[in-house]
């Protein structure tokens, strides 16, 4: 997960993976409706339990955000783009609109002129981490779709900035890394390329 400088202490529940599993179980339930109604119903019950667990165990009232995860029974708090990313796998009826709005508000420190940072570095070592202090183009697409679906206008606007950036770059890098301490203004694309972008292609 997006805390690669420390190995997790197992057992681990990773919030983003839980959200992905919710979508998978819901999809499987729908697929089996016509061919195996009993299995479909069992999966539907599991899906409901997983959605309930998302808000009961993985929501953190202290930060008004989703936890990064739980390891060895302990809550792991860290501001990452995982929270907005997770909304891609959750339908609005599954996740309270108010909670989604709280996530959007909490993400403001990760906003940049080209989208959302994966996470802010907490140490010098993390400056070079793949999972920290980068903007992932593919993730901006998922965040934009999720934000549109959950009616998060600010997050939809921030994530859409990547589309303009990619059209300017005429390439699709795996990640884009800030190389300046100060985020440059969006309206100055040449400055953006010179002082902000360090492209690492896949």
């Amino acid at each position: 997960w997006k805390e690669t400088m420390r190995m997790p202490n197992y057992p681990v529940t990773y919030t983003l993976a839980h959200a992905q599993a919710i979508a998978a179980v819901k999809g499987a339930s729908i697929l089996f409706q016509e061919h195996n109604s009993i299995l479909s119903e069992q999966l539907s019950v599991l899906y409901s339990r997983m959605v309930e667990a998302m808000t009961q165990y993985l929501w953190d009232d202290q930060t008004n955000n989703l936890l990064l995860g739980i390891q060895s029974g302990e809550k792991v708090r860290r501001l990452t783009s995982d929270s907005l990313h997770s909304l891609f796998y959750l339908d609005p009826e599954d996740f309270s609109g108010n909670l989604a709005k709280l996530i959007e508000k909490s993400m403001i420190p990760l906003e940049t002129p080209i989208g959302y940072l994966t996470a802010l570095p907490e140490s010098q070592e993390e400056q070079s981490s793949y999972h920290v202090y980068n903007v992932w183009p593919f993730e901006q697409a998922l965040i934009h779709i999720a934000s549109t679906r959950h009616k998060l206008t600010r997050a939809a606007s921030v994530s859409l900035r990547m589309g303009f950036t990619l059209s300017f770059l005429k390439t699709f890098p795996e990640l884009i890394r800030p190389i300046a301490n100060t985020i440059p203004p969006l309206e100055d694309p040449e400055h953006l390329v010179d002082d902000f972008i360090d492209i690492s292609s896949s």
Side-chain angles (χ1 to χ4, degrees), residues 104 111-116 140 143-144 147-148 152-164 186:
E104 180 184 45
E111 293 177 3
T112 78
I114 60 171
Y116 286 96
Q140 305 312 302
I143 289 174
H144 183 73
S147 301
T148 302
L152 304 178
T153 54
R154 182 185 182 112
S157 176
V158 172
S159 53
L160 187 60
R161 296 171 185 172
M162 179 54 70
F164 299 116
L186 181 62

Side-chain angles (χ1 to χ4, degrees), residues 81-143:
S81 55
D82 279 1
S83 296
L84 282 173
H85 184 161
S86 293
L87 293 178
F88 176 80
Y89 307 100
L90 302 170
D91 292 329
E93 60 266 26
D94 298 334
F95 202 67
S96 163
N98 181 54
L99 296 185
K101 285 285 187 185
L102 290 173
I103 289 175
E104 180 184 45
K105 185 177 181 180
S106 73
M107 291 291 107
I108 291 175
L110 298 185
E111 293 177 3
T112 78
I114 60 171
Y116 286 96
L117 288 169
T118 48
L120 292 171
E122 295 182 346
S123 68
Q124 189 66 34
E125 298 163 302
E126 287 192 343
Q127 289 280 6
S128 60
S129 169
Y130 177 84
H131 292 89
V132 178
Y133 207 53
N134 293 310
V135 179
W136 291 346
F138 87 89
E139 189 174 54
Q140 305 312 302
L142 299 181
I143 289 174

Side-chain angles (χ1 to χ4, degrees), residues 29-75:
S29 175
I30 294 170
L31 287 172
F32 279 108
Q33 281 176 351
E34 292 186 17
H35 305 288
N36 191 331
S37 60
I38 294 176
L39 178 57
S40 176
E41 181 58 29
Q42 291 172 336
L43 289 169
S44 180
V45 170
L46 175 60
Y47 162 74
S48 297
R49 290 174 56 197
M50 292 174 72
V51 169
E52 183 180 350
M54 190 83 175
T55 53
Q56 184 175 354
Y57 300 110
L58 296 173
W59 179 261
D60 183 37
D61 288 327
Q62 180 177 316
T63 59
N64 281 330
N65 202 345
L66 290 167
L67 296 168
L68 179 63
I70 298 174
Q71 57 178 353
S72 298
E74 298 293 326
K75 295 179 178 180

